[in-house]
Structure formats: structure tokens, C-alpha cells
Amino acid sequence: LRVPANFFDPVRMLTSYPSVIAANDQANSIIVKGYSPNYVLWRVEGLDVVNPNHLANAGTMGDKPTANGGGVSILSAQVLDRTDFNSGYLPTGLGNGLAGIMDMKLRAGASDKMQYTAQASLIGLDLAAEGPLNKQKGSSFLVNYRYSTIGLLSSMGVDFGDEAINFQDLTFNVNAPHKNGGALSVFGFMGSSKNVFEAKPEEAWEQEKDRYDITFDGFTYGLGLVNHFKPGTWNFSVGLAYSSQLQNRNSQSVLVPVPHVYREHYDSDNTMVSGFVKANRKLGEYGSLETGIRLNNYWQQLESETVTQLYLDVFTPYVKGSVNGLLMQPYASFTQYVGTWQLNAGLQYARFGYNHTDSWEPKLSVSKAFKKNTIALSAGTTSQMQQTQNYLVVGSKGIGFTRSHQALAEWKTQLPGDLKLKSSAFYHWIVNAPVVRDAPYYSSLNQWDGYIWNDTLVNTGKGRNYGVEASLEKRFYNNLYFILSGSRYEAKFYNGTTYTDGRFNTKFTSSLLVGKEWNKKNRSFGIHARALYLGGLRQALVDAAVSQLVGTTIYNEQNGYLRLPDYFRTDLRVSWRKNKPGYTRTLSIDIQNVTSQQNTAFTYYDTFLQKETTKYQLGIIPVLAYRVDF
């Protein structure tokens, strides 16, 4: 609630940490340590769920929906407690996400009295209520409804591509503590989103998009429960969730004489039932054992088609089919303390029933704590199943897990002034990545919103992600906080001849987040700022001649990925809060890209302008918000 211009979305705050970059200003899809956003796994309350974001097509090069990320999280900041983000080395029990795992926790409602929150801003209206269900037992509920008013920003001149955009969502959490410790949590979320673009009259055409009618509809929902209890010497946790996402995008052009894409259709229906059982037990005074299993059953259906006036199969992707199966991940880990040393060893297994492929994942970490310092060495293997569309490529049903052998060295120290310094070096050796059988430079490591459709995929791709990163952080204390971070890394993939720069190899990140608040009696005034200076994103070269012939943008991955200009952005937040008996009022304004810096998002071939054209990231965006807690 303090970080500027994050649209009350915890994922956008992650870009203040090293090696994390937003793939596009319009979305919360993130690039971590040079990995594609497809390699981030989403969880709610420790349970795997379908992509819990609105507008999954936001910010992509082809306006295609993606499996991870979207315009904004369905879970409003009003209902969130803490968000755990693990990246790099993933401990035993965490898997199926090579780049990292985003686990959003929901807070328990107030257990003593009813409380309400109302917030109105230029991006939405939030209404929340919470209170006790049984004061004697400490049970409570929390519910939040949000309705988008993002159209107000468009009317103020913010360029969202002249699209009508709206979304709404509902989230709830019921919490019931147990007598002997632990608690039962029942939660649910539901969100719908839509954007519409209507073709302009021919005399008003200024770009390719102006001659298309485009609609996108998305509906996502989930229901789950988590129960923590301690019947004896063991601590048990069980969880079960059902989540589903339906997405439909259609693009239809008016007829014109020049070659162009005539029609695009995308329809997906993803459903997941996920569950886990885990148990912990102390072994003597200095040891512990954790064992458990995760089970995810997937029902995934996808149809994607692009039709051009000049219909050539090699340039016209068509993918249709279903991927249904059980992903099973049993694991066990052992932890032993010897003085100030800590040893953790674990083994995890993954098996996907759809095509009967599997992977073993051993893990080992050693750490030593000094008075104010901690050092740690970790190594292990993490695996991830493939994107739905990759299994549907002709002859590719049998492709197995992509594996990342990860090593990490960390140093943490506590400095005077409540400062925490953390630095690390990492090396990831990636194997078994799907690549096109006859053209290994088409690698799934470089996928995000695009498809590989015209040749069989095989698990022979390789990659190397390695680098160093550091952060200096001061928690909010004495009304001041800051995070200064930076990283330098490489993300390479094997193109069949040599290791070369991958699509998401931005080389470096650097950021400064700082905030200060001043309190006087019942008032508080705060100023918060963030600056991001990041390495430029990459894209394949546009093949203008072929693009003109076919009528849509054709990228030539065979010649590698061109690095776009570096990215720079500054954000600002100014807030004023006043406490009164029984209620608190907060007035704030967030300004993203306060200097209106023009950052390149990507280039494409515009069939109307008949030339390669640059698409830029978002310009200045002001978000005014008024909040009342009572």
C-alpha cells in the first residue's frame, strides 16, 4: 500500500528486487533471472491455481493470452496478507516452476468487531467487509468486491490502444482457529474481464489495428480450503482447491485488397484440481523431517487459429486439442542443526500422467549462521511440465519435463541502522527444453505468447542462466524505508551451434525504492518514489519481405534476438492520511512513469503502414485514490 504505481498488485512490487523485470508495463507478467514468464508458477494459500489475473492478453506482442500474468491480479490488496516469492534455488516441496513460485496468502478477517473499507480510484472501486463469526472461538470472515473504472484513465488521455477495458472480482476468506493450534481456512475468488476494440471507419485508419474488430473475454474462479492441525507429535497440513479459467479472443478484419490477417481465434478452457498433504515432525532436539505429496489434475483445452488471405501453413498456426492428466509430486526432506550449521537434504519426484513422463529432483543446502552474518550454499534440480500448446504440436505428445540444475551461493548480513544486505551468485544449467526437431533455434525457452506449431518438438534444448545480484533493504522503521537492488546476469540458449542470447536476456537490473512518512497528532503525510533502470528486452528480427507477402508480422528467430534500448522509469506516490474516532481517511495519488519516458516494448510489421513500426510502453499514468477504513 506504500509502493508507488503498483496498482495494489503484489507482483508489480517484485520489480523492486534484483533480477526481476516486468515483461510489459501493461501486465504483471515477470521475467526472473532471464527466464520466460511461462516459468513462474502461481499459488494461493500454498495451492497451485490457474492464472489468477485479469486480462491475460495484456501487453503481449500479438495480443494473445498467456498462461502466466495479466493486466492486474484478481486478488485485491485489500484481502492479501503476505506474498511469498521463491526464485533461484527452490527447496524440496516447491516445484513445477523453474523461474520461481508466487504464493499469495489471504489474511484472516477481524475477530473482535465488524470493520469495513471503501476505496475509490481511477482504476477501480473496492468494497471490503470483515468481522467475527464466533467471538468465543475466534472465527472470522473477510470479503472484498472490486469493479474496474479504468475507462476513466482512457478519458484522461492514457493510451490503452482505444480499447474499452473493464473487470470485476470477488474474493473471500473464512478462518476458524483450532483449540490445539492451527486453523481451517476456506477461500474463494472469482473474476471476469473484457476488452473490446471496434474497427474505425476506413478514412480514420492510422495503423493496422484500426481495421479490426477485437474482443477478449476472460472468466476465472477458484474455491479451496487449507487445514493446519497438530493431533500429536506430527504437524499436518492438507489443502484442496478447484480453479478454472475460460478465455476467448476473436479478431475479425474488414476486407481490404492488400494481404493481411483476416481472422484470429483463440479459445481456451483450463481447469485444475490441486491438493497437498504434508507432515512435519521433530527428530530429537536438533532435527526435523518433512514429507508430503502434491497432486494436480489438469483438464486443458485449446484452439488457436490464424487465417490470412494468403493461406500458407508454414506461416498460419493452427493448434487444437486437449491435455488431461495428473501431475504427482511426492517429496521428503530432512533438516539437521549442528551448532550454528544447518543441513537440509531432500528428494522430490514428478510424474505427469498425460504422457507418462517423469523427473527426479534431488536437493541439498548447507548454511552457517554467525553473529550478524549468514552464508549458504544450495544445489538441486527443479523440473517443470510444458505449456499446453507444446503437447499439441503434431508428434510432440511425448515431450517430457524441462529440468534446471540450480546452484546458489548467498551471503546475508545485518548492518547498523536496521539495514539488511543480501548478495548471491547463481548458476542454472537447463536441459530437456523442447526445441523444433529440425530447427533447434526455435526453443521453448524463448516462448511467451507465441506458439511453435509447424514441426515436431524434441527434448534436446539446453540453456544457461547465471549471474550475481545484491540488495540493501531498510524495513519500515522510524517512518522510513528503502530497497536498493541490482543484478548482472546472462540467459543463454543453445541454438544448435553455440550458446547465444535468449529472448529474455536483459543483462542487468537496478532499482531504488524509497519512502518517508511524517506523523503529527492524528495526521500522516507520505512521499514514496521508485526508479527503475533495466536492460532492454529482446525480440527476433522482423522479416519485412515475408511479412508483407503473408499479411502479418513474421519474426525470424534463426538470426537470434535483437536487444532493444534500455528501460528507465520513475514512479511517485504522495499520500495523506487522517485518523478520526471510528474511521481513517486516506487520499493518495500514484504517478507511473512520472517523466513520461518513452520505452520501447517491441517492433512489428504494420500491414497498413507497410513498414516496421515501434510499439512503446505506457506513458505517464496518474491514479488518484480515496480510501476510508471504518
Side-chain angles (χ1 to χ4, degrees), residues 231-252:
T233 57
W234 289 85
N235 289 322
F236 286 96
S237 296
V238 297
L240 181 66
Y242 178 94
S243 60
S244 183
Q245 183 174 62
L246 296 88
Q247 297 183 114
N248 182 276
R249 180 188 181 274
N250 286 286
S251 173
Q252 179 75 52

PDB file of all heavy atoms in Angstrom, residues 231-252:
ATOM      1  N   PRO A 231      -2.354 -33.150  15.736  1.00  0.00           N
ATOM      2  CA  PRO A 231      -3.004 -34.155  16.577  1.00  0.00           C
ATOM      3  C   PRO A 231      -2.082 -34.795  17.596  1.00  0.00           C
ATOM      4  O   PRO A 231      -2.541 -35.410  18.553  1.00  0.00           O
ATOM      5  CB  PRO A 231      -3.477 -35.197  15.555  1.00  0.00           C
ATOM      6  CG  PRO A 231      -2.497 -35.073  14.433  1.00  0.00           C
ATOM      7  CD  PRO A 231      -2.116 -33.618  14.365  1.00  0.00           C
ATOM      8  N   GLY A 232      -0.765 -34.676  17.383  1.00  0.00           N
ATOM      9  CA  GLY A 232       0.181 -35.317  18.307  1.00  0.00           C
ATOM     10  C   GLY A 232       1.579 -34.783  18.073  1.00  0.00           C
ATOM     11  O   GLY A 232       1.803 -33.575  18.080  1.00  0.00           O
ATOM     12  N   THR A 233       2.517 -35.684  17.858  1.00  0.00           N
ATOM     13  CA  THR A 233       3.896 -35.267  17.645  1.00  0.00           C
ATOM     14  C   THR A 233       4.134 -34.762  16.223  1.00  0.00           C
ATOM     15  O   THR A 233       5.173 -34.174  15.939  1.00  0.00           O
ATOM     16  CB  THR A 233       4.852 -36.447  17.915  1.00  0.00           C
ATOM     17  OG1 THR A 233       4.497 -37.552  17.067  1.00  0.00           O
ATOM     18  CG2 THR A 233       4.776 -36.863  19.375  1.00  0.00           C
ATOM     19  N   TRP A 234       3.181 -34.993  15.341  1.00  0.00           N
ATOM     20  CA  TRP A 234       3.293 -34.527  13.955  1.00  0.00           C
ATOM     21  C   TRP A 234       2.479 -33.253  13.759  1.00  0.00           C
ATOM     22  O   TRP A 234       1.433 -33.074  14.381  1.00  0.00           O
ATOM     23  CB  TRP A 234       2.776 -35.586  12.980  1.00  0.00           C
ATOM     24  CG  TRP A 234       3.654 -36.793  12.846  1.00  0.00           C
ATOM     25  CD1 TRP A 234       3.660 -37.900  13.642  1.00  0.00           C
ATOM     26  CD2 TRP A 234       4.656 -37.004  11.851  1.00  0.00           C
ATOM     27  NE1 TRP A 234       4.595 -38.802  13.210  1.00  0.00           N
ATOM     28  CE2 TRP A 234       5.223 -38.280  12.105  1.00  0.00           C
ATOM     29  CE3 TRP A 234       5.135 -36.266  10.778  1.00  0.00           C
ATOM     30  CZ2 TRP A 234       6.241 -38.807  11.308  1.00  0.00           C
ATOM     31  CZ3 TRP A 234       6.139 -36.791   9.988  1.00  0.00           C
ATOM     32  CH2 TRP A 234       6.691 -38.046  10.254  1.00  0.00           C
ATOM     33  N   ASN A 235       2.962 -32.370  12.887  1.00  0.00           N
ATOM     34  CA  ASN A 235       2.183 -31.229  12.410  1.00  0.00           C
ATOM     35  C   ASN A 235       1.704 -31.552  10.997  1.00  0.00           C
ATOM     36  O   ASN A 235       2.524 -31.851  10.117  1.00  0.00           O
ATOM     37  CB  ASN A 235       3.024 -29.951  12.375  1.00  0.00           C
ATOM     38  CG  ASN A 235       3.329 -29.435  13.755  1.00  0.00           C
ATOM     39  OD1 ASN A 235       2.480 -29.501  14.640  1.00  0.00           O
ATOM     40  ND2 ASN A 235       4.529 -28.927  13.955  1.00  0.00           N
ATOM     41  N   PHE A 236       0.416 -31.492  10.786  1.00  0.00           N
ATOM     42  CA  PHE A 236      -0.149 -31.834   9.483  1.00  0.00           C
ATOM     43  C   PHE A 236      -0.746 -30.596   8.813  1.00  0.00           C
ATOM     44  O   PHE A 236      -1.288 -29.706   9.464  1.00  0.00           O
ATOM     45  CB  PHE A 236      -1.251 -32.892   9.627  1.00  0.00           C
ATOM     46  CG  PHE A 236      -0.743 -34.270   9.912  1.00  0.00           C
ATOM     47  CD1 PHE A 236      -0.672 -34.744  11.213  1.00  0.00           C
ATOM     48  CD2 PHE A 236      -0.331 -35.103   8.871  1.00  0.00           C
ATOM     49  CE1 PHE A 236      -0.212 -36.013  11.486  1.00  0.00           C
ATOM     50  CE2 PHE A 236       0.137 -36.380   9.139  1.00  0.00           C
ATOM     51  CZ  PHE A 236       0.195 -36.835  10.435  1.00  0.00           C
ATOM     52  N   SER A 237      -0.675 -30.584   7.494  1.00  0.00           N
ATOM     53  CA  SER A 237      -1.362 -29.583   6.685  1.00  0.00           C
ATOM     54  C   SER A 237      -1.953 -30.289   5.471  1.00  0.00           C
ATOM     55  O   SER A 237      -1.277 -31.108   4.832  1.00  0.00           O
ATOM     56  CB  SER A 237      -0.413 -28.482   6.207  1.00  0.00           C
ATOM     57  OG  SER A 237       0.106 -27.752   7.288  1.00  0.00           O
ATOM     58  N   VAL A 238      -3.202 -29.984   5.189  1.00  0.00           N
ATOM     59  CA  VAL A 238      -3.855 -30.527   3.996  1.00  0.00           C
ATOM     60  C   VAL A 238      -4.537 -29.374   3.267  1.00  0.00           C
ATOM     61  O   VAL A 238      -4.994 -28.403   3.884  1.00  0.00           O
ATOM     62  CB  VAL A 238      -4.879 -31.624   4.347  1.00  0.00           C
ATOM     63  CG1 VAL A 238      -4.207 -32.824   4.988  1.00  0.00           C
ATOM     64  CG2 VAL A 238      -5.973 -31.075   5.258  1.00  0.00           C
ATOM     65  N   GLY A 239      -4.587 -29.471   1.964  1.00  0.00           N
ATOM     66  CA  GLY A 239      -5.234 -28.439   1.172  1.00  0.00           C
ATOM     67  C   GLY A 239      -5.873 -29.023  -0.066  1.00  0.00           C
ATOM     68  O   GLY A 239      -5.416 -30.038  -0.608  1.00  0.00           O
ATOM     69  N   LEU A 240      -6.945 -28.386  -0.522  1.00  0.00           N
ATOM     70  CA  LEU A 240      -7.644 -28.826  -1.715  1.00  0.00           C
ATOM     71  C   LEU A 240      -8.251 -27.604  -2.395  1.00  0.00           C
ATOM     72  O   LEU A 240      -8.844 -26.750  -1.730  1.00  0.00           O
ATOM     73  CB  LEU A 240      -8.745 -29.827  -1.359  1.00  0.00           C
ATOM     74  CG  LEU A 240      -9.559 -30.398  -2.529  1.00  0.00           C
ATOM     75  CD1 LEU A 240      -8.668 -31.268  -3.426  1.00  0.00           C
ATOM     76  CD2 LEU A 240     -10.750 -31.202  -2.011  1.00  0.00           C
ATOM     77  N   ALA A 241      -8.081 -27.490  -3.719  1.00  0.00           N
ATOM     78  CA  ALA A 241      -8.618 -26.343  -4.443  1.00  0.00           C
ATOM     79  C   ALA A 241      -9.107 -26.769  -5.814  1.00  0.00           C
ATOM     80  O   ALA A 241      -8.553 -27.680  -6.451  1.00  0.00           O
ATOM     81  CB  ALA A 241      -7.570 -25.247  -4.578  1.00  0.00           C
ATOM     82  N   TYR A 242     -10.159 -26.097  -6.258  1.00  0.00           N
ATOM     83  CA  TYR A 242     -10.679 -26.253  -7.619  1.00  0.00           C
ATOM     84  C   TYR A 242     -10.617 -24.880  -8.265  1.00  0.00           C
ATOM     85  O   TYR A 242     -11.151 -23.905  -7.723  1.00  0.00           O
ATOM     86  CB  TYR A 242     -12.109 -26.762  -7.589  1.00  0.00           C
ATOM     87  CG  TYR A 242     -12.755 -26.904  -8.962  1.00  0.00           C
ATOM     88  CD1 TYR A 242     -12.726 -28.119  -9.629  1.00  0.00           C
ATOM     89  CD2 TYR A 242     -13.381 -25.823  -9.575  1.00  0.00           C
ATOM     90  CE1 TYR A 242     -13.314 -28.265 -10.885  1.00  0.00           C
ATOM     91  CE2 TYR A 242     -13.962 -25.948 -10.828  1.00  0.00           C
ATOM     92  CZ  TYR A 242     -13.932 -27.170 -11.486  1.00  0.00           C
ATOM     93  OH  TYR A 242     -14.501 -27.302 -12.724  1.00  0.00           O
ATOM     94  N   SER A 243      -9.954 -24.766  -9.407  1.00  0.00           N
ATOM     95  CA  SER A 243      -9.864 -23.475 -10.087  1.00  0.00           C
ATOM     96  C   SER A 243     -10.011 -23.676 -11.585  1.00  0.00           C
ATOM     97  O   SER A 243      -9.656 -24.735 -12.126  1.00  0.00           O
ATOM     98  CB  SER A 243      -8.543 -22.772  -9.767  1.00  0.00           C
ATOM     99  OG  SER A 243      -7.429 -23.544 -10.169  1.00  0.00           O
ATOM    100  N   SER A 244     -10.527 -22.667 -12.256  1.00  0.00           N
ATOM    101  CA  SER A 244     -10.790 -22.780 -13.685  1.00  0.00           C
ATOM    102  C   SER A 244     -10.668 -21.411 -14.336  1.00  0.00           C
ATOM    103  O   SER A 244     -10.924 -20.379 -13.702  1.00  0.00           O
ATOM    104  CB  SER A 244     -12.195 -23.354 -13.923  1.00  0.00           C
ATOM    105  OG  SER A 244     -12.442 -23.543 -15.301  1.00  0.00           O
ATOM    106  N   GLN A 245     -10.278 -21.418 -15.593  1.00  0.00           N
ATOM    107  CA  GLN A 245     -10.157 -20.173 -16.362  1.00  0.00           C
ATOM    108  C   GLN A 245     -10.624 -20.422 -17.794  1.00  0.00           C
ATOM    109  O   GLN A 245     -10.164 -21.352 -18.466  1.00  0.00           O
ATOM    110  CB  GLN A 245      -8.723 -19.662 -16.360  1.00  0.00           C
ATOM    111  CG  GLN A 245      -8.554 -18.337 -17.092  1.00  0.00           C
ATOM    112  CD  GLN A 245      -7.151 -17.770 -16.950  1.00  0.00           C
ATOM    113  OE1 GLN A 245      -6.191 -18.372 -17.382  1.00  0.00           O
ATOM    114  NE2 GLN A 245      -7.033 -16.603 -16.319  1.00  0.00           N
ATOM    115  N   LEU A 246     -11.527 -19.582 -18.263  1.00  0.00           N
ATOM    116  CA  LEU A 246     -12.009 -19.613 -19.636  1.00  0.00           C
ATOM    117  C   LEU A 246     -11.598 -18.319 -20.311  1.00  0.00           C
ATOM    118  O   LEU A 246     -11.825 -17.228 -19.758  1.00  0.00           O
ATOM    119  CB  LEU A 246     -13.530 -19.775 -19.693  1.00  0.00           C
ATOM    120  CG  LEU A 246     -14.124 -21.077 -19.135  1.00  0.00           C
ATOM    121  CD1 LEU A 246     -14.402 -20.924 -17.638  1.00  0.00           C
ATOM    122  CD2 LEU A 246     -15.418 -21.440 -19.868  1.00  0.00           C
ATOM    123  N   GLN A 247     -11.022 -18.430 -21.494  1.00  0.00           N
ATOM    124  CA  GLN A 247     -10.584 -17.251 -22.231  1.00  0.00           C
ATOM    125  C   GLN A 247     -10.979 -17.387 -23.698  1.00  0.00           C
ATOM    126  O   GLN A 247     -10.866 -18.467 -24.278  1.00  0.00           O
ATOM    127  CB  GLN A 247      -9.067 -17.075 -22.128  1.00  0.00           C
ATOM    128  CG  GLN A 247      -8.580 -16.839 -20.724  1.00  0.00           C
ATOM    129  CD  GLN A 247      -7.088 -16.605 -20.665  1.00  0.00           C
ATOM    130  OE1 GLN A 247      -6.632 -15.525 -20.333  1.00  0.00           O
ATOM    131  NE2 GLN A 247      -6.306 -17.625 -20.977  1.00  0.00           N
ATOM    132  N   ASN A 248     -11.425 -16.285 -24.260  1.00  0.00           N
ATOM    133  CA  ASN A 248     -11.821 -16.276 -25.661  1.00  0.00           C
ATOM    134  C   ASN A 248     -11.416 -14.948 -26.283  1.00  0.00           C
ATOM    135  O   ASN A 248     -11.723 -13.891 -25.743  1.00  0.00           O
ATOM    136  CB  ASN A 248     -13.333 -16.486 -25.788  1.00  0.00           C
ATOM    137  CG  ASN A 248     -13.802 -16.539 -27.226  1.00  0.00           C
ATOM    138  OD1 ASN A 248     -14.043 -15.519 -27.851  1.00  0.00           O
ATOM    139  ND2 ASN A 248     -13.938 -17.747 -27.754  1.00  0.00           N
ATOM    140  N   ARG A 249     -10.693 -15.031 -27.396  1.00  0.00           N
ATOM    141  CA  ARG A 249     -10.316 -13.824 -28.128  1.00  0.00           C
ATOM    142  C   ARG A 249     -10.613 -14.019 -29.607  1.00  0.00           C
ATOM    143  O   ARG A 249     -10.253 -15.037 -30.189  1.00  0.00           O
ATOM    144  CB  ARG A 249      -8.830 -13.513 -27.949  1.00  0.00           C
ATOM    145  CG  ARG A 249      -8.380 -12.257 -28.705  1.00  0.00           C
ATOM    146  CD  ARG A 249      -6.873 -12.078 -28.669  1.00  0.00           C
ATOM    147  NE  ARG A 249      -6.449 -10.883 -29.372  1.00  0.00           N
ATOM    148  CZ  ARG A 249      -6.209 -10.810 -30.689  1.00  0.00           C
ATOM    149  NH1 ARG A 249      -6.389 -11.892 -31.447  1.00  0.00           N
ATOM    150  NH2 ARG A 249      -5.830  -9.684 -31.244  1.00  0.00           N
ATOM    151  N   ASN A 250     -11.269 -13.021 -30.195  1.00  0.00           N
ATOM    152  CA  ASN A 250     -11.574 -13.054 -31.613  1.00  0.00           C
ATOM    153  C   ASN A 250     -11.194 -11.723 -32.247  1.00  0.00           C
ATOM    154  O   ASN A 250     -11.451 -10.651 -31.687  1.00  0.00           O
ATOM    155  CB  ASN A 250     -13.059 -13.318 -31.855  1.00  0.00           C
ATOM    156  CG  ASN A 250     -13.442 -14.756 -31.575  1.00  0.00           C
ATOM    157  OD1 ASN A 250     -13.125 -15.651 -32.348  1.00  0.00           O
ATOM    158  ND2 ASN A 250     -14.102 -14.983 -30.434  1.00  0.00           N
ATOM    159  N   SER A 251     -10.582 -11.822 -33.405  1.00  0.00           N
ATOM    160  CA  SER A 251     -10.194 -10.641 -34.168  1.00  0.00           C
ATOM    161  C   SER A 251     -10.648 -10.837 -35.601  1.00  0.00           C
ATOM    162  O   SER A 251     -10.299 -11.840 -36.242  1.00  0.00           O
ATOM    163  CB  SER A 251      -8.669 -10.451 -34.113  1.00  0.00           C
ATOM    164  OG  SER A 251      -8.264  -9.406 -34.975  1.00  0.00           O
ATOM    165  N   GLN A 252     -11.450  -9.901 -36.102  1.00  0.00           N
ATOM    166  CA  GLN A 252     -12.008 -10.007 -37.454  1.00  0.00           C
ATOM    167  C   GLN A 252     -11.773  -8.694 -38.190  1.00  0.00           C
ATOM    168  O   GLN A 252     -12.138  -7.626 -37.707  1.00  0.00           O
ATOM    169  CB  GLN A 252     -13.506 -10.292 -37.380  1.00  0.00           C
ATOM    170  CG  GLN A 252     -14.208 -10.409 -38.716  1.00  0.00           C
ATOM    171  CD  GLN A 252     -13.902 -11.719 -39.411  1.00  0.00           C
ATOM    172  OE1 GLN A 252     -14.044 -12.787 -38.822  1.00  0.00           O
ATOM    173  NE2 GLN A 252     -13.477 -11.653 -40.665  1.00  0.00           N
TER     174      GLN A 252
END
